[in-house]
Amino acid sequence: MVVREGSRNYVAPQGISSVVKYYLEQSGADVSYEQQVTHISLRDGRWEVSRKAGPPEQFDVVILTMPVPQILQLQGDIVNTLPLPVGDSHDAVFAASGTETPAVINESQKQQLESVSYSSRYALGLFYEAGTGIAVPWAAQYITDNPCIRFISIDNKKRNIESPEIGPSVVVHTTVTFGSEHLDSDPAEVQQIILSHLQRIVPSLPEPSSIKCQRWRYSQVTRAVPNCPGQMILHTQPLLICGGDGFTRSNFDGCIESAMSLAQAVKPHLQQFQSQAAKLPLDLL
């Protein structure tokens, strides 16, 4: 998520939850989907965010909530804001418009980020035409005696959005063991394995109109940042901060806890922008 002075601009992941999507839209924010951020660099005292497609944009505040390993894979000056290897100076120096700016980030932060680990699994989605019946008496079910499948949900029923105009969908999560064993397998082959197990568990499922098999490399946090701080400031001016379940735990409460911690850390910076705007002459606002 990125914020720039005088406006609200967010880069949202494709798989964003319906709840988050709803509140972002209600806020009036300008939301962009399916934008893959590749580089974050300093330009004239602001963060320049580059995407895989499209021109770069500049922002005063950048908030990163992707899985921690993906934060460490970003390129640009953000690499230089992470601490230098042991034995080097803790004052990482990088160029920004011809000037040198020290990044006051210590080595322990990088070690903490690198210590975060995740489980892996696959998610399978089955999509049906409107009016298709799913003849099961439950909305969701955990499976304890199958080596492949751990969780099945009739997603529209689970979300209480059953409607004659909306086709039902089924979501399947595999076990962590299965996900780890097949992490680098061909997704098409994995899809067939999951479907064969699903057919044995729920033989009454009709033929779907479409299927999507998704490799979920960073599923749930198995080891969070030590002491679960909720967020971590990588750079103060301009603000570069990261958060998410990697800084707490992978459940709803953990995500809310991180969101609250992020909000408290970002709030003074937003108030600073508001104060600066209030001092401008009216014809410049």
Side-chain angles (χ1 to χ4, degrees):
M1 181 173 67
V2 288
V3 183
R4 62 181 154 200
E5 186 175 353
S7 68
R8 291 169 293 184
N9 185 299
Y10 301 86
V11 177
Q14 180 180 5
I16 189 171
S17 76
S18 56
V19 175
V20 174
K21 180 180 178 182
Y22 170 81
Y23 282 109
L24 279 177
E25 291 174 347
Q26 290 297 307
S27 73
D30 178 16
V31 183
S32 300
Y33 295 97
E34 301 182 47
Q35 302 293 316
Q36 182 179 343
V37 174
T38 58
H39 293 67
I40 299 179
S41 300
L42 271 175
R43 295 291 184 268
D44 299 319
R46 305 177 78 196
W47 290 112
E48 182 177 86
V49 178
S50 299
R51 299 166 291 169
K52 193 170 185 179
E57 295 186 73
Q58 291 191 352
F59 304 93
D60 296 299
V61 175
V62 174
I63 304 172
L64 304 173
T65 59
M66 71 271 277
V68 172
Q70 293 180 337
I71 293 175
L72 294 170
Q73 291 167 10
L74 290 171
Q75 298 299 304
D77 287 334
I78 183 174
V79 178
N80 297 322
T81 67
L82 294 176
L84 296 173
V86 174
D88 289 338
S89 168
H90 283 173
D91 290 331
V93 177
F94 51 86
S97 301
T99 62
E100 292 185 342
T101 307
V104 187
I105 300 177
N106 56 54
E107 173 64 21
S108 67
Q109 285 184 307
K110 184 179 181 182
Q111 293 176 351
Q112 290 174 51
L113 293 174
E114 290 178 337
S115 72
V116 178
S117 61
Y118 294 77
S119 61
S120 300
R121 67 182 78 229
Y122 279 84
L124 186 74
L126 284 69
F127 305 94
Y128 297 88
E129 299 291 342
T132 303
I134 306 294
V136 295
W138 39 265
Q141 187 175 65
Y142 278 95
I143 310 299
T144 59
D145 56 355
N146 186 275
C148 173
I149 294 175
R150 173 64 69 232
F151 176 76
I152 306 172
S153 73
I154 314 303
D155 214 46
N156 56 307
K157 184 184 291 187
K158 187 187 76 166
R159 297 173 185 272
N160 197 29
I161 54 173
E162 293 183 275
S163 166
E165 289 82 30
I166 300 175
S169 59
V170 176
V171 174
V172 179
H173 289 173
T174 69
T175 65
V176 170
T177 301
F178 179 89
S180 298
E181 291 175 349
H182 294 83
L183 190 58
D184 297 314
S185 300
D186 181 354
E189 295 178 2
V190 174
Q191 176 176 307
Q192 291 306 311
I193 297 173
I194 300 172
L195 286 172
S196 65
H197 282 271
L198 182 62
Q199 177 63 30
R200 290 195 288 270
I201 297 172
V202 192
S204 63
L205 279 179
E207 192 72 21
S209 59
S210 63
I211 302 174
K212 182 174 179 59
C213 184
Q214 182 71 44
R215 181 188 289 114
W216 198 356
R217 186 175 297 273
Y218 305 114
S219 173
Q220 292 180 300
V221 175
T222 55
R223 184 171 61 246
V225 168
N227 302 318
C228 299
Q231 49 80 16
M232 181 183 291
I233 295 175
L234 299 181
H235 197 273
T236 305
Q237 293 292 343
L239 182 64
L240 175 61
I241 187 172
C242 51
D245 58 355
F247 297 81
T248 51
R249 55 198 176 280
S250 287
N251 57 24
F252 185 76
D253 288 344
C255 293
I256 292 296
E257 182 180 319
S258 177
M260 296 295 290
S261 181
L262 283 166
Q264 288 300 314
V266 173
K267 185 177 178 180
H269 293 263
L270 299 183
Q271 290 173 333
Q272 173 188 340
F273 299 146
Q274 291 174 340
S275 298
Q276 291 172 351
K279 295 176 182 178
L280 290 174
L282 293 178
D283 59 348
L284 295 181
L285 294 176

Coordinates of all heavy atoms in Angstrom, one line a residue, residues 10-16 31-37 51-53:
Y10 N -3.7 3.4 -3.4 CA -3.3 2.1 -2.9 C -3.1 1.1 -4.0 O -3.8 1.1 -5.0 CB -4.4 1.5 -2.0 CG -4.8 2.4 -0.9 CD1 -5.7 3.5 -1.0 CD2 -4.2 2.2 0.4 CE1 -6.0 4.3 0.1 CE2 -4.5 3.0 1.5 CZ -5.4 4.1 1.3 OH -5.7 4.9 2.4
V11 N -2.0 0.3 -3.9 CA -1.8 -0.8 -4.8 C -2.2 -2.0 -4.0 O -1.6 -2.4 -3.0 CB -0.3 -0.9 -5.2 CG1 -0.1 -2.1 -6.1 CG2 0.1 0.4 -5.9
A12 N -3.2 -2.7 -4.5 CA -3.8 -3.8 -3.8 C -3.5 -5.1 -4.5 O -3.5 -5.2 -5.7 CB -5.4 -3.6 -3.7
P13 N -3.4 -6.2 -3.8 CA -3.1 -7.5 -4.4 C -4.4 -8.1 -5.0 O -5.5 -7.7 -4.6 CB -2.7 -8.4 -3.2 CG -3.4 -7.8 -2.0 CD -3.3 -6.3 -2.3
Q14 N -4.2 -8.9 -6.0 CA -5.3 -9.5 -6.7 C -6.2 -10.3 -5.8 O -7.4 -10.3 -5.9 CB -4.8 -10.4 -7.9 CG -5.9 -11.1 -8.7 CD -5.4 -12.0 -9.8 OE1 -4.2 -12.2 -9.9 NE2 -6.3 -12.5 -10.6
G15 N -5.6 -11.0 -4.8 CA -6.4 -11.8 -3.9 C -6.9 -11.1 -2.7 O -7.1 -11.8 -1.7
I16 N -7.0 -9.8 -2.7 CA -7.4 -9.1 -1.5 C -8.8 -9.6 -1.1 O -9.7 -9.9 -1.9 CB -7.5 -7.6 -1.9 CG1 -7.7 -6.7 -0.6 CG2 -8.5 -7.3 -2.9 CD1 -7.5 -5.2 -0.9
V31 N -7.9 2.7 -5.8 CA -7.4 1.4 -5.6 C -6.9 0.8 -7.0 O -7.7 0.8 -7.9 CB -8.3 0.4 -4.9 CG1 -7.7 -0.9 -4.7 CG2 -8.8 1.0 -3.6
S32 N -5.7 0.3 -7.0 CA -5.2 -0.4 -8.2 C -5.0 -1.9 -7.9 O -4.4 -2.2 -6.9 CB -3.9 0.2 -8.7 OG -4.1 1.6 -9.0
Y33 N -5.5 -2.8 -8.8 CA -5.3 -4.2 -8.6 C -4.3 -4.8 -9.6 O -4.0 -4.2 -10.6 CB -6.7 -4.9 -8.8 CG -7.7 -4.5 -7.7 CD1 -8.7 -3.6 -8.0 CD2 -7.7 -5.1 -6.5 CE1 -9.6 -3.2 -7.1 CE2 -8.6 -4.8 -5.5 CZ -9.6 -3.8 -5.8 OH -10.5 -3.4 -4.9
E34 N -3.8 -6.0 -9.2 CA -2.9 -6.7 -10.0 C -1.6 -5.9 -10.4 O -1.2 -5.9 -11.6 CB -3.6 -7.3 -11.3 CG -4.8 -8.2 -10.9 CD -5.5 -8.7 -12.1 OE1 -4.8 -9.2 -13.0 OE2 -6.7 -8.7 -12.2
Q35 N -1.1 -5.2 -9.5 CA 0.1 -4.4 -9.8 C 1.3 -5.0 -9.0 O 1.3 -5.0 -7.8 CB -0.1 -2.9 -9.3 CG -1.3 -2.2 -10.0 CD -1.0 -2.0 -11.4 OE1 0.0 -1.6 -11.9 NE2 -2.1 -2.2 -12.2
Q36 N 2.3 -5.5 -9.7 CA 3.4 -6.1 -9.1 C 4.5 -5.1 -8.9 O 5.1 -4.6 -9.9 CB 3.9 -7.3 -9.9 CG 5.1 -8.0 -9.3 CD 5.6 -9.2 -10.1 OE1 4.8 -9.7 -11.0 NE2 6.8 -9.7 -9.8
V37 N 4.8 -4.8 -7.7 CA 5.9 -3.8 -7.4 C 7.2 -4.5 -7.5 O 7.4 -5.6 -6.9 CB 5.7 -3.2 -6.0 CG1 6.9 -2.3 -5.6 CG2 4.4 -2.4 -5.9
R51 N 6.7 -0.6 -11.0 CA 5.9 -1.8 -11.2 C 6.4 -2.6 -12.4 O 7.1 -2.1 -13.2 CB 4.4 -1.4 -11.4 CG 3.8 -0.6 -10.3 CD 2.5 0.0 -10.7 NE 2.7 1.1 -11.6 CZ 1.7 1.7 -12.3 NH1 0.5 1.3 -12.2 NH2 2.0 2.7 -13.1
K52 N 5.9 -3.8 -12.5 CA 6.3 -4.7 -13.6 C 5.8 -4.1 -14.9 O 6.4 -4.2 -15.9 CB 5.8 -6.1 -13.4 CG 6.4 -7.1 -14.3 CD 6.1 -8.5 -13.9 CE 6.8 -9.5 -14.7 NZ 6.5 -10.9 -14.3
A53 N 4.6 -3.4 -14.8 CA 4.0 -2.8 -16.0 C 3.6 -1.4 -15.6 O 3.0 -1.2 -14.6 CB 2.9 -3.6 -16.5

